[in-house]
Amino acid sequence: MTILIIIGIIILFVAFGKSKPTTKPTNYYDSAKNPQFNKATTVNRTSKVKITITGPASNTTNMDDSIIDIGSQSYKIDSDYGLVSKVPYWSHSYVYNYSEINYATTAQKKFYQDFKTKFLSGEYSDLEGNTNYVFILLFDLLNEFDKHKDVTKLELQLEILGDNYPKTKSYGVNFLIKKMQEVGDDKGVARLREDHYDYNSQVTYSTFEWRNKYKKKLSLTKEETNILDKIWYSSNNFVSIEYCCIEVIKLYLMTIKKLQQTYIDSDSSIEKEFEEIADVVVRKHFRYRKGSNNYKYAMQSSENEFHTNIFKYCENAVREYYGHKRKISIDPYSSSPEAKEEFETKLINKITQIHLSLISKINLPDEETEIKLNLLNTTRWKIKFDQITLNFNKNPKEFVSEIIVLGNLNIENPSVENIFFEASKFIAKYDQETALLLYIHYLYHDMKSVTFDNKQLTKTIQKSLFKNDNQVENFQVIVSEFINDKDFKKAINSVSQVYAIKRKKIQLDKSLIKEVQKQHSGTVELLNEYLKDDGSEDSENKPKIEEQIEIKITQRDREPTVSIYSEELLFKPIHTTTLETFAKHNFSILQSEFESFAKSNGAFKNQLIENINEICFDILDDLLIEEDEDYYSINQDYYQKLLA
């Protein structure tokens, strides 16, 4: 009879269910699966009915802990329906956040704390269908992450949670992706989206697609494919250039094969060495107890992490080989000296030695890649320029030819005019006409740039180029006409006229001179005196080199300068000059170079950056100029917002 009563109450309980508030808060789980879902749902209240659930004894001190409104009368039933259970029953409901624990009974709270403690120590309780506990734990772990910010730790916890309590799996992955996005872990996001690939998601380029692309393009063997599968794809400006990416992959595959052979020669294997390194890393860096589930999972994921770091070292090696100054930051396990030393001694030091013999097998960039690299690194041209000047063999024509080739490889580089300006300065001491030709090249590119800098050659160089005022004036005319008519070919052809000697040829009849000298010897002597005086006077009036006129280039009929920036921005000239300098350097300048720029303009670099950021903040609601390792950088999208 008692059993029938209990069954009847259960049926009644299921039929009516737990009453809901009139307006239901957003379903956090559904929002994790579909960010567009944010509509609250409403549930009409049923008639006010109350059942009080207690244990078998009626002398419970906390009678309201288990009140559920489902009827018009109060009934007392066993919380576990008379069944033997160690898990306090918790009627299923949506858990929106960790604060839902506040509505649990004392027994439920006590059990949850025990459940959490066991979970963290590697023991996973059977919840007997009471899923509220595990979802409370999910949000509890997410809250703790906001304090410790250890993505790897959270990922391990949610992975284990999902493996043992599958209903949390999809929610855990989506919440983890959000947390990774918050801290800027793009690699982790890409990896998770691949490992838990959802064809309904808006993933534009996954690791899966990246691997398949290069497996086909390089016709990789099965062994090489397995090696490539061990890395996580991480896009950046360098490897987004296909030629560069292919060479990095080639070096990575050669490095792994060479590393395997190195370990074999030492009577070991790559698997054994990686396991020993991983053991130290997991125990010392992650501080997981050996044998625990966290330890086991971290050991399994360490191999892929090692391969990914090796790939990064290969990328940096190719960057250096290609003269690309910027390198990606690699500093794994820095929080543990023991783990860091183990990783570097047993792995990285060997890779460094391997690269000494392998790097020469990497193909040098082709023309298209050179142009792209020079756009990414606007000062990269200096490496080739230094080689050209170092190997200069006193042949001006050959020098000009090499400089023009270098200029073509920097055709998309906003700083291309500097190549020709520096070349003009260098060749001035060897060949005057060539120096002027290269200066015309400089002006040609300078006029096409964002800002017309109109740099002047130094007075010392001008003294070596021009012997008198006429030569200076002739070149000034050529330059001024070029700036106004933009006729490059005409300007180049006119340069040779700067040094042309313009004299009238006079032919003298020596016999007549002698006859005149006899007849007018006195007159000739007097004439000689006059000529001496004229020569002396001419010598005194001859301009000295030290007093030569400086080249002054002006542009006739030039329109008044109009600011390209919004009128709302109260920029001073130093501010606009700074922004134009960033634009010419592809919006990224070495901090040392920027400091020199600021000093040359009588400003302090930090104060200058702060002033510009402050002026732009109202429009951008963010910082315009930010530090990026050794560089100061500007977000190009932000820059576009500043334009008029």
Side-chain angles (χ1 to χ4, degrees):
M1 185 68 178
T2 303
I3 295 175
L4 292 175
I5 293 173
I6 293 173
I7 293 173
I9 293 173
I10 293 173
I11 293 172
L12 180 65
F13 174 76
V14 173
F16 287 94
K18 181 180 179 181
S19 65
K20 309 280 185 182
T22 302
T23 302
K24 182 180 178 180
T26 303
N27 183 332
Y28 211 149
Y29 300 140
D30 289 339
S31 69
K33 286 187 174 181
N34 181 8
Q36 302 301 321
F37 183 92
N38 58 6
K39 296 180 180 178
T41 58
T42 59
V43 179
N44 294 329
R45 288 183 179 273
T46 59
S47 58
K48 292 184 178 180
V49 183
K50 181 159 64 176
I51 291 182
T52 303
I53 305 175
T54 67
S58 59
N59 59 348
T60 307
T61 58
N62 189 355
M63 298 295 292
D64 292 332
D65 277 346
S66 52
I67 293 178
I68 303 177
D69 294 334
I70 60 171
S72 59
Q73 299 178 8
S74 295
Y75 299 90
K76 294 181 180 180
I77 62 173
D78 289 339
S79 61
D80 59 0
Y81 311 118
L83 302 175
V84 177
S85 174
K86 295 181 180 179
V87 183
Y89 175 76
W90 195 347
S91 176
H92 171 70
S93 63
Y94 280 113
V95 177
Y96 305 107
N97 51 56
Y98 176 72
S99 63
E100 298 286 337
I101 192 70
N102 296 328
Y103 302 101
T105 66
T106 301
Q108 290 166 345
K109 291 178 182 178
K110 183 178 180 181
F111 175 79
Y112 170 74
Q113 293 301 327
D114 181 64
F115 163 62
K116 178 184 176 181
T117 301
K118 289 181 178 178
F119 174 85
L120 294 177
S121 63
E123 183 178 349
Y124 311 113
S125 306
D126 182 3
L127 298 177
E128 300 176 1
N130 293 277
T131 56
N132 288 10
Y133 293 106
V134 72
F135 281 107
I136 288 289
L137 178 58
L138 170 63
F139 287 107
D140 198 355
L141 297 175
L142 292 171
N143 288 345
E144 289 182 352
F145 167 80
D146 291 335
K147 297 177 182 178
H148 63 67
K149 297 295 183 183
D150 188 338
V151 174
T152 304
K153 179 179 180 179
L154 178 64
E155 183 176 357
L156 288 170
Q157 291 173 337
L158 296 188
E159 182 75 15
I160 295 169
L161 191 70
D163 288 343
N164 289 277
Y165 306 97
K167 286 189 176 182
T168 67
K169 188 75 172 181
S170 59
Y171 303 115
V173 170
N174 283 282
F175 286 136
L176 181 57
I177 287 175
K178 289 182 179 180
K179 293 297 183 183
M180 286 179 167
Q181 289 172 334
E182 288 176 8
V183 298
D185 185 4
D186 297 333
K187 294 183 295 182
V189 171
R191 174 170 50 79
L192 284 176
R193 283 177 172 166
E194 180 209 354
D195 293 343
H196 306 276
Y197 196 74
D198 178 6
Y199 289 95
N200 294 319
S201 65
Q202 298 179 351
V203 180
T204 56
Y205 196 63
S206 68
T207 308
F208 176 78
E209 294 170 312
W210 179 81
R211 288 171 180 163
N212 276 353
K213 173 184 176 180
Y214 289 107
K215 287 174 186 176
K216 294 176 182 177
K217 188 170 286 292
L218 297 174
S219 301
L220 299 184
T221 64
K222 185 177 181 180
E223 180 186 1
E224 291 171 334
T225 297
N226 291 336
I227 295 173
L228 189 62
D229 282 341
K230 294 182 183 297
I231 66 172
W232 298 321
Y233 171 69
S234 176
S235 178
N236 58 56
N237 287 334
F238 186 80
V239 293
S240 65
I241 300 173
E242 185 175 285
Y243 189 99
C244 297
C245 191
I246 287 174
E247 296 306 312
V248 173
I249 291 174
K250 286 165 57 178
L251 180 60
Y252 164 70
L253 294 174
M254 289 190 292
T255 300
I256 294 298
K257 291 178 182 178
K258 187 73 173 177
L259 186 64
Q260 289 173 332
Q261 188 60 49
T262 301
Y263 287 139
I264 291 173
D265 292 342
S266 301
D267 295 327
S268 185
S269 67
I270 193 169
E271 293 80 13
K272 180 181 177 182
E273 295 292 331
F274 276 18
E275 185 177 354
E276 291 179 358
I277 299 170
D279 173 69
V280 177
V281 168
V282 173
R283 287 187 297 103
K284 299 297 183 181
H285 177 71
F286 295 114
R287 299 185 180 280
Y288 293 139
R289 178 173 52 82
K290 189 166 186 175
S292 67
N293 285 319
N294 284 351
Y295 174 90
K296 293 174 183 176
Y297 180 78
M299 287 291 289
Q300 292 172 0
S301 62
S302 289
E303 181 181 3
N304 283 21
E305 189 171 347
F306 293 163
H307 278 271
T308 301
N309 281 320
I310 293 171
F311 186 84
K312 290 180 181 179
Y313 275 94
C314 292
E315 180 180 335
N316 276 347
V318 176
R319 283 176 177 238
E320 184 176 356
Y321 191 58
Y322 284 1
H324 190 71
K325 289 183 179 180
R326 300 182 191 176
K327 294 185 179 181
I328 50 176
S329 177
I330 313 172
D331 190 21
Y333 321 124
S334 57
S335 64
S336 168
E338 299 97 326
K340 185 179 179 69
E341 183 180 1
E342 182 79 2
F343 179 73
E344 291 182 348
T345 303
K346 289 193 173 182
L347 186 57
I348 300 308
N349 290 350
K350 287 182 170 56
I351 289 173
T352 303
Q353 290 299 315
I354 289 172
H355 282 172
L356 293 176
S357 61
L358 293 181
I359 195 65
S360 60
K361 297 182 180 180
I362 298 302
N363 295 323
L364 291 171
D366 58 12
E367 183 176 338
E368 181 183 356
T369 305
E370 286 280 1
I371 292 173
K372 291 178 179 178
L373 289 174
N374 288 330
L375 175 60
L376 291 180
N377 190 340
T378 58
T379 59
R380 182 172 176 268
W381 60 269
K382 292 181 179 180
I383 298 173
K384 182 63 177 175
F385 182 83
D386 289 342
Q387 293 174 355
I388 294 173
T389 55
L390 183 65
N391 298 325
F392 178 61
N393 59 0
K394 307 296 190 297
N395 186 332
K397 289 185 178 180
E398 184 179 326
F399 178 78
V400 171
S401 177
E402 290 177 327
I403 292 298
I404 289 175
V405 169
L406 181 58
N408 290 336
L409 293 177
N410 284 268
I411 195 65
E412 295 183 11
N413 184 348
S415 299
V416 61
E417 71 263 24
N418 293 328
I419 298 172
F420 294 95
F421 185 74
E422 294 300 322
S424 176
K425 288 166 55 179
F426 172 81
I427 200 68
K429 55 191 170 188
Y430 300 104
D431 190 276
Q432 297 168 328
E433 187 173 329
T434 301
L436 298 186
L437 286 171
L438 289 171
Y439 188 78
I440 296 295
H441 277 274
Y442 156 71
L443 290 174
Y444 170 76
H445 289 284
D446 189 27
M447 288 189 295
K448 293 172 66 177
S449 64
V450 176
T451 306
F452 182 49
D453 295 321
N454 191 12
K455 290 182 182 179
Q456 302 290 300
L457 295 170
T458 64
K459 290 183 179 181
T460 302
I461 292 177
Q462 289 185 39
K463 290 173 186 177
S464 68
L465 292 177
F466 306 111
K467 302 302 180 186
N468 54 56
D469 291 345
N470 286 336
Q471 291 179 352
V472 175
E473 290 170 2
N474 288 342
F475 189 62
Q476 276 187 274
V477 171
I478 293 171
V479 170
S480 297
E481 289 181 355
F482 173 50
I483 291 175
N484 285 281
D485 61 27
K486 310 294 189 298
D487 192 334
F488 177 71
K489 187 174 181 181
K490 174 186 145 187
I492 289 293
N493 292 335
S494 299
V495 168
S496 60
Q497 301 302 313
V498 173
Y499 300 107
I501 300 174
K502 300 175 182 179
R503 295 179 181 174
K504 291 182 179 180
K505 294 183 179 180
I506 301 175
Q507 293 182 346
L508 301 176
D509 190 329
K510 294 181 180 180
S511 61
L512 288 175
I513 292 174
K514 289 181 179 179
E515 186 177 344
V516 170
Q517 284 177 338
K518 290 178 181 179
Q519 295 176 359
H520 306 284
S521 57
T523 305
V524 171
E525 290 176 5
L526 181 61
L527 179 61
N528 286 336
E529 292 297 326
Y530 280 122
L531 289 175
K532 288 180 181 179
D533 293 340
D534 289 343
S536 175
E537 184 178 347
D538 182 66
S539 176
E540 291 177 1
N541 294 332
K542 183 178 180 181
K544 295 180 180 180
I545 292 177
E546 289 77 12
E547 298 173 355
Q548 290 298 317
I549 301 172
E550 181 181 353
I551 302 175
K552 294 181 180 178
I553 302 169
T554 58
Q555 184 172 358
R556 294 179 305 211
D557 303 324
R558 188 176 179 87
E559 295 181 1
T561 303
V562 179
S563 175
I564 64 174
Y565 301 105
S566 172
E567 293 181 357
E568 299 176 45
L569 300 166
L570 303 178
F571 284 143
K572 295 179 180 179
I574 181 63
H575 299 150
T576 55
T577 303
T578 301
L579 295 179
E580 288 162 357
T581 302
F582 268 100
K584 293 184 69 173
H585 286 79
N586 200 27
F587 300 97
S588 185
I589 305 177
L590 271 169
Q591 292 188 22
S592 57
E593 290 184 9
F594 184 79
E595 185 173 10
S596 299
F597 164 81
K599 285 182 178 179
S600 66
N601 286 275
F604 295 105
K605 66 171 184 176
N606 292 337
Q607 186 178 14
L608 182 57
I609 290 173
E610 288 174 6
N611 289 341
I612 294 175
N613 282 338
E614 185 177 349
I615 293 172
C616 300
F617 192 82
D618 288 340
I619 290 180
L620 303 177
D621 195 29
D622 199 355
L623 297 179
L624 174 66
I625 305 174
E626 295 187 288
E627 287 191 30
D628 181 12
E629 295 183 355
D630 296 330
Y631 290 77
Y632 286 122
S633 300
I634 287 180
N635 184 312
Q636 294 189 40
D637 292 335
Y638 285 175
Y639 181 79
Q640 292 298 321
K641 293 180 181 179
L642 305 181
L643 301 179

